[in-house]
Each structure stands twice: as C-alpha cells, then as structure tokens.
Amino acid sequence: MHPLIDKEKQKRAKKYHKDNLKTSVATCIISGIFIAALLGFDISENFVVFINAITNARFLIILIYFTVFYIVYTLITMPLAYLDGYVIEHKYGFSTQNFKAWLKDWMKSFFVSFILGAIVFEIIYLLTNISPTLWWLWLSVI
C-alpha cells in the first residue's frame, strides 16, 4: 500500500477493482460460451441458411445476422452490465444516477454500439468478398 494515501481508501479501491474484475471475467466466460454454442451447435450456420431462404441480398443477410446475434448477446450479458454499471458504482458511491437515467444511458450506448458494429461487420464481409486473399491486409490498413 502507498504510504501517502489513506489505507481505507486503498482497501476500498481494491474491493472495487475486484468486483469489477469479477464481472469482467464473467462477461468473458459468457462470451466464450456464446461463441462456442454458435459454432459448436451449428446455430450460426443454420441461421445463415435460414436468412438465405428469406433474402439473397448479401448486405441484408449480414445485417440480419449481426442484428439478431447482437440483440441476443446483449440480453444475455445485460444482467452483468447492470451489475457492473449500476450496482457496483452505487455500492462504492461513484454514481448517484437513478435506474431510469442509467437505463437511458445504457440504451444510448446499445444503439451507438449497434450502429458502429453493423458498419464494421458489413465492411469486414465486404472486404472478404472483394479480396478473399488480402482482406486481412485491407482491414489492418483501415
């Protein structure tokens, strides 16, 4: 511990860090399980086949795929986002925001991340389609 900083504040900071670390680890584990389930049970592949039955437009296939899995993943991780962004912040006195305000901010973040994610996802698949052998180079340049 640092000798010039209040020991109680340091202990509190360590507890705060530990709580945030727990939710981060849990989110990583859930993300891994989610991806493993998509691939291991052929959910991803079967879903693409299903979308292809609806439309042949590559842009729409990619957008629908991204939208559905983004929403499902967000719903799965929402409890941890609430725990990390609302409960822990209030527990340590770092936030005075009420739940309604927190949810409003969370929704803004959701939509901004969705729009940016959809654009990036479309660009990745556009590059892999245009340049199947050098897509990785173009992505690294971007």
Side-chain angles (χ1 to χ4, degrees):
M1 292 202 185
H2 196 280
L4 299 177
I5 300 175
D6 181 8
K7 290 185 187 326
E8 285 304 311
K9 285 184 181 178
Q10 288 183 62
K11 286 180 185 176
R12 189 175 165 124
K14 284 183 179 183
K15 283 182 176 180
Y16 173 75
H17 176 71
K18 191 181 283 189
D19 285 349
N20 278 323
L21 185 60
K22 288 175 187 176
T23 58
S24 294
V25 168
T27 301
C28 286
I29 290 169
I30 289 171
S31 298
I33 292 168
F34 181 72
I35 291 169
L38 287 179
L39 299 174
F41 296 109
D42 294 329
I43 297 168
S44 182
E45 186 178 339
N46 291 333
F47 188 59
V48 171
V49 170
F50 173 76
I51 300 170
N52 270 318
I54 298 170
T55 181
N56 290 330
R58 186 173 167 86
F59 171 81
L60 281 177
I61 293 168
I62 293 165
L63 184 60
I64 292 168
Y65 180 92
F66 177 78
T67 301
V68 168
F69 286 118
Y70 183 79
I71 290 170
V72 169
Y73 176 77
T74 300
L75 289 173
I76 290 169
T77 58
M78 174 80 172
L80 289 169
Y82 168 72
L83 186 64
D84 191 46
Y86 186 79
V87 174
I88 292 173
E89 295 301 311
H90 280 81
K91 177 181 174 181
Y92 291 94
F94 295 134
S95 177
T96 57
Q97 193 176 38
N98 64 30
F99 178 74
K100 186 177 178 182
W102 174 84
L103 188 59
K104 185 178 175 183
D105 283 347
W106 183 86
M107 291 296 287
K108 288 179 198 175
S109 173
F110 170 84
F111 285 113
V112 169
S113 297
F114 171 76
I115 291 167
L116 293 175
I119 291 168
V120 168
F121 214 67
E122 289 286 352
I123 289 171
I124 289 169
Y125 279 92
L126 177 68
L127 288 173
T128 58
N129 194 36
I130 292 171
S131 180
T133 56
L134 293 175
W135 63 268
W136 57 271
L137 177 63
W138 302 121
L139 270 177
S140 63
V141 168
I142 291 173

